[in-house]
Amino acid sequence: MYLGEEEIGRPPRREGGGRRWRRKPKPRMPDWLKAVIQKSMVVPLHNHAFDPAACLLQSSLPIISTKIPCLAFFLGSPRCYYTMTGHADTEELTDEVRETFIHHNRTYQRYCVDRKIYFVPVDEDETIRLRLQHDVLTMLFDGRSIFPPMGALRRVLDCGFGTGLWAFQVAWEHPRCEVIGIDMSPHHYNPEESVENLYLNVDNLNMPLQFHSGHFDLINSRLVAGGIDRNRWHGYMRDILRCLRGGGWCQMVEIDFNAQSDNGTITDGHALRQWSDKYRQAMSQFKNPEAPRRIAHWMRHAGFTDVEERMLPLPMCGWSDNQREFDIGVANQENIRLLLGSLALYPFTELLGMSITEFHVLVAQARAEAINPALKPYFRLYVCVGRKPRR
């Protein structure tokens, strides 16, 4: 499955003579990133077989302080909204996209909520949670950003960039690669540092992707199920396939928020199960809560080949006898505590009509169960990769 030298992104040779090219020098590494790399022992996955189940860290990673490097937004279609940091053909983000409102002391993006795109807060607390979540997944995947075997990368697309951490890491590790990120919310990045090959594009993934066919070597789609409309998934997969070059790869990561127990002790009477049932009931009005379990099937149906899927248990606290899994559970505990509130507040109180008191009681009970190692609670995390046929 290794992509041969003919797929490496060198400039094409002209007839009658060679074309000279030079490797573009890396920008200066910021001091904060040097400290992160020295402590985190990040291991790139290039040319490794896809096996995230074997990708658990030997030692835990530190919490990475987010420093998103570049906030340059491509000029695409009239429905998009942009900002810029000195790049040509960009526009300022409009007030319509920046506008927020307060709901039970949490800040939401009005554009997304009014259009039923995304029901999660965009405040600082949620940004912190997303960074914690990124660090947990980094531990789970052994620091690997890319799962399928890849040659040299020229263009990469990140669907749902969030804080921009995944896109930044890929852009930094591949300075000659153009990395583009898409997200409907511009609220979670921190543009204090700069990497010139990273572009973040504010756009709606529920609309057709505005890129030429065969444009990308790799497309990453991570934790976007909460924002993809329930009837959009087949079109979304076809869009990704179209935008990939022949032989290019797509990798997808999604979490099934149906609480599980490794020893079967979580029953319908537990608050975690009630939280899961209500979340599924609320979100199914606009989204597809079963999407994480179906992405492999949808990829095959869209025309992807070499499709592989793994289900990884994501422990909510430290309960495993395996030291690495125990460490992941400990690191994930705070993320889960925040997640049970932030993901559910608007859907439960507005879509299901729960009172704020009922909501707080249920979330408090669910949080208490999530940190109980005797229950051995976890969510199922699905990782799937697929390849576009070469012809």
Side-chain angles (χ1 to χ4, degrees), residues 38-56:
Q38 290 170 358
K39 294 178 182 178
S40 63
M41 300 163 50
V42 173
V43 181
L45 182 66
H46 316 309
N47 302 333
H48 286 254
F50 168 61
D51 188 10
C55 297
L56 298 179

Side-chain angles (χ1 to χ4, degrees), residues 72-74 154-161 166-167 170-171 177-183 197-202 210-211 215-216 218-220:
F73 291 76
F74 276 118
R154 295 169 297 175
R155 290 182 289 270
V156 171
L157 176 64
D158 183 19
C159 296
F161 63 79
W166 185 92
V170 173
C177 173
E178 178 184 79
V179 180
I180 302 174
I182 292 179
D183 202 303
N197 58 323
L198 174 62
Y199 303 85
L200 301 180
N201 181 359
V202 178
Q210 299 294 300
F211 299 101
H215 191 71
F216 295 101
L218 173 71
I219 296 180
N220 177 66

Side-chain angles (χ1 to χ4, degrees), residues 118-266:
Y118 197 52
F119 304 109
V120 180
V122 294
D123 50 26
E124 184 178 357
D125 287 347
E126 179 62 9
T127 301
I128 292 172
R129 187 195 71 78
L130 289 173
R131 295 175 185 177
L132 290 172
Q133 181 174 262
H134 175 84
D135 295 333
V136 171
L137 296 184
T138 299
M139 295 178 68
L140 189 64
F141 301 144
D142 198 17
R144 299 173 178 181
S145 302
I146 300 172
F147 303 137
M150 302 295 301
L153 295 172
R154 295 169 297 175
R155 290 182 289 270
V156 171
L157 176 64
D158 183 19
C159 296
F161 63 79
T163 62
L165 280 170
W166 185 92
F168 171 67
Q169 182 173 344
V170 173
W172 178 259
E173 293 174 352
H174 303 271
R176 297 183 67 247
C177 173
E178 178 184 79
V179 180
I180 302 174
I182 292 179
D183 202 303
M184 197 58 240
S185 174
H187 296 84
H188 295 301
Y189 50 70
N190 183 345
E192 292 183 5
E193 301 292 338
S194 178
V195 171
E196 61 182 13
N197 58 323
L198 174 62
Y199 303 85
L200 301 180
N201 181 359
V202 178
D203 203 351
N204 186 358
L205 290 174
N206 290 301
M207 303 294 287
L209 298 179
Q210 299 294 300
F211 299 101
H212 296 299
S213 299
H215 191 71
F216 295 101
D217 303 303
L218 173 71
I219 296 180
N220 177 66
S221 176
R222 176 180 289 196
L223 303 182
V224 299
I228 300 294
D229 292 344
R230 61 177 302 111
N231 296 323
R232 165 63 176 153
W233 279 100
H234 289 290
Y236 181 57
M237 294 293 187
R238 290 193 296 268
D239 272 357
I240 291 176
L241 185 71
R242 178 187 62 80
C243 292
L244 283 170
R245 64 167 175 80
W249 287 87
C250 170
Q251 62 179 42
M252 308 189 80
V253 177
E254 295 293 342
I255 297 175
D256 180 2
F257 291 107
N258 184 19
Q260 305 293 319
S261 171
D262 195 59
N263 57 12
T265 53
I266 294 181

Side-chain angles (χ1 to χ4, degrees), residues 270-325:
H270 282 83
L272 272 174
R273 184 62 53 82
Q274 295 170 18
W275 184 96
S276 298
D277 291 343
K278 290 185 181 298
Y279 183 77
R280 186 186 312 110
Q281 178 186 354
M283 295 301 290
S284 61
Q285 299 179 44
F286 305 103
K287 312 300 175 181
N288 190 338
E290 297 182 1
R293 302 192 297 272
R294 305 191 64 184
I295 52 178
H297 169 73
W298 289 335
M299 289 183 75
R300 294 187 182 96
H301 186 266
F304 284 92
T305 60
D306 299 323
V307 176
E308 298 184 46
E309 181 186 42
R310 299 286 187 275
M311 190 286 289
L312 305 179
L314 185 61
M316 300 186 195
C317 65
W319 53 259
S320 177
D321 294 333
N322 180 285
Q323 185 61 50
R324 292 182 297 178
E325 294 176 1

Side-chain angles (χ1 to χ4, degrees), residues 340-386:
L340 291 172
S342 63
L343 264 63
L345 177 57
Y346 191 92
F348 286 17
T349 58
E350 290 297 309
L351 303 183
L352 297 184
M354 287 182 66
S355 71
I356 190 61
T357 300
E358 292 173 328
F359 169 80
H360 284 311
V361 169
L362 177 60
V363 169
Q365 294 172 343
R367 285 171 170 170
E369 293 174 2
I371 61 174
N372 184 354
L375 295 177
K376 297 189 175 182
Y378 69 93
F379 287 131
R380 294 189 181 108
L381 181 142
Y382 290 85
V383 183
C384 188
V385 300

